[in-house]
Structure formats: C-alpha cells, structure tokens
C-alpha cells in the first residue's frame, strides 16, 4: 500500500447477486490489499451512511468510504464509486476512470437503470455472502 493512501471501504448490498459478483471481482484484483468491505445491511454501514446523510435503507447503490475515520472522510456513491474503484485496481482497469468524461447525470442514470433491475437479472440471496478464510480480514462485521 502506498503510504499516503487510505484503505477505502466498499459498502455493498450483501444479498444482491450483482453486488456479490462485484465484490468477488474486486477481491481477485485488489493485488495491493487496499480495499475493505462491509455489507449495507451491517451496523457499520448504518453508522457511516447516517454520518454522511445517506439513507441506510437505500440498497440501490454501492458506496465507497474514502479516508475512513479521518478528517477528510468522504462517501462516494453510484458511478463515482465504481470509477474510483476501477482507478484503485490499477493496470488496465484504470481505463475505467475514463468514464468520468461521461456527464455524471448520464452515468448515474445508467447506473440506476441497472440497479433497479439487478435482483431480477442477477438474483437475490437469502443472506449476505460469507467470505472465504483468505479474505475474511478484508470484511468488517463478518
């Protein structure tokens, strides 16, 4: 990990098939061990989202907490969160950051279209995904 970079925390819908797929994708490609994860259904997420004025009951987005518990802590949502994550993965995935050239209104409209249909398209689980033992330390409140 770079000395001046925090460990971003990804807040995801733990019962969503698409969100669990994103989490597995990120785990596989987080070669610098920078990312941490918490389901939106966790107490941790509830506290952080309320602190930022976000609705903890809104499961239709992925969030990224940047600089957690520091004075500059911020919360990224929807397409901003995805673009941020692509940049943190490095390598070829950094090209995903080029999505910033698409107006945010359009990016978030596309994001919302997928989010509103994700359970139908990707399924919904009865409970949150349990990480395997090699990734357990990357998950908060397991």
């Amino acid at each position: 990990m770079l000395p001046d970079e925090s460990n971003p925390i990804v807040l995801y819908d733990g019962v969503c098939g698409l969100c669990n797929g994103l989490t597995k994708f990120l785990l596989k490609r987080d070669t610098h061990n920078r990312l941490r994860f918490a389901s939106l259904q966790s107490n941790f997420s509830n506290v952080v989202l309320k602190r930022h004025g976000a609705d903890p009951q809104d499961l239709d987005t992925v969030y990224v907490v940047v600089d957690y518990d520091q004075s500059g802590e911020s919360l990224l949502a929807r397409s901003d969160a995805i673009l941020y994550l692509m940049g943190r993965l490095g390598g070829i995935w950094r090209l995903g950051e080029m999505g910033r050239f698409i107006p945010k209104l359009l990016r978030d409209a596309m994001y919302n279209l997928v989010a509103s249909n994700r359970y139908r398209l990707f399924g919904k689980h009865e409970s949150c995904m349990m990480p395997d033992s090699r990734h357990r330390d990357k998950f908060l409140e397991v």
Side-chain angles (χ1 to χ4, degrees):
M1 181 172 70
L2 300 174
D4 61 340
E5 193 164 16
S6 70
N7 287 333
I9 303 168
V10 180
L11 307 180
Y12 67 98
D13 180 356
V15 298
C16 168
L18 176 60
C19 303
N20 282 318
L22 172 65
T23 300
K24 290 175 185 176
F25 173 88
L26 293 170
L27 283 168
K28 184 175 182 180
R29 289 159 183 84
D30 181 25
T31 57
H32 298 290
N33 196 32
R34 292 182 177 135
L35 302 176
R36 300 295 175 260
F37 301 87
S39 75
L40 287 170
Q41 292 84 352
S42 70
N43 288 331
F44 176 86
S45 291
N46 189 26
V47 169
V48 171
L49 292 174
K50 283 181 178 177
R51 182 165 61 225
H52 288 277
D55 180 4
Q57 302 303 312
D58 179 11
L59 302 179
D60 284 343
T61 188
V62 64
Y63 295 98
V64 176
V65 183
V66 180
D67 295 328
Y68 171 70
D69 212 20
Q70 297 178 33
S71 63
E73 178 181 300
S74 62
L75 185 68
L76 303 173
R78 294 180 168 58
S79 64
D80 287 340
I82 297 297
L83 294 176
Y84 176 88
L85 290 169
M86 292 298 100
R88 294 301 116 357
L89 292 180
I92 191 81
W93 303 110
R94 290 202 63 163
L95 292 175
E97 285 185 304
M98 292 179 66
R100 293 204 188 280
F101 293 112
I102 300 170
K104 180 176 171 51
L105 190 64
L106 183 57
R107 282 188 281 129
D108 281 346
M110 291 186 296
Y111 183 99
N112 290 337
L113 179 64
V114 172
S116 64
N117 293 291
R118 72 190 191 285
Y119 290 148
R120 187 171 49 82
L121 296 172
F122 299 97
K124 182 176 181 180
H125 304 285
E126 292 297 317
S127 61
C128 294
M129 171 185 82
M130 291 302 295
D132 61 37
S133 58
R134 66 187 165 143
H135 294 127
R136 192 165 308 257
D137 62 329
K138 295 175 72 84
F139 285 79
L140 309 173
E141 288 194 31
V142 175

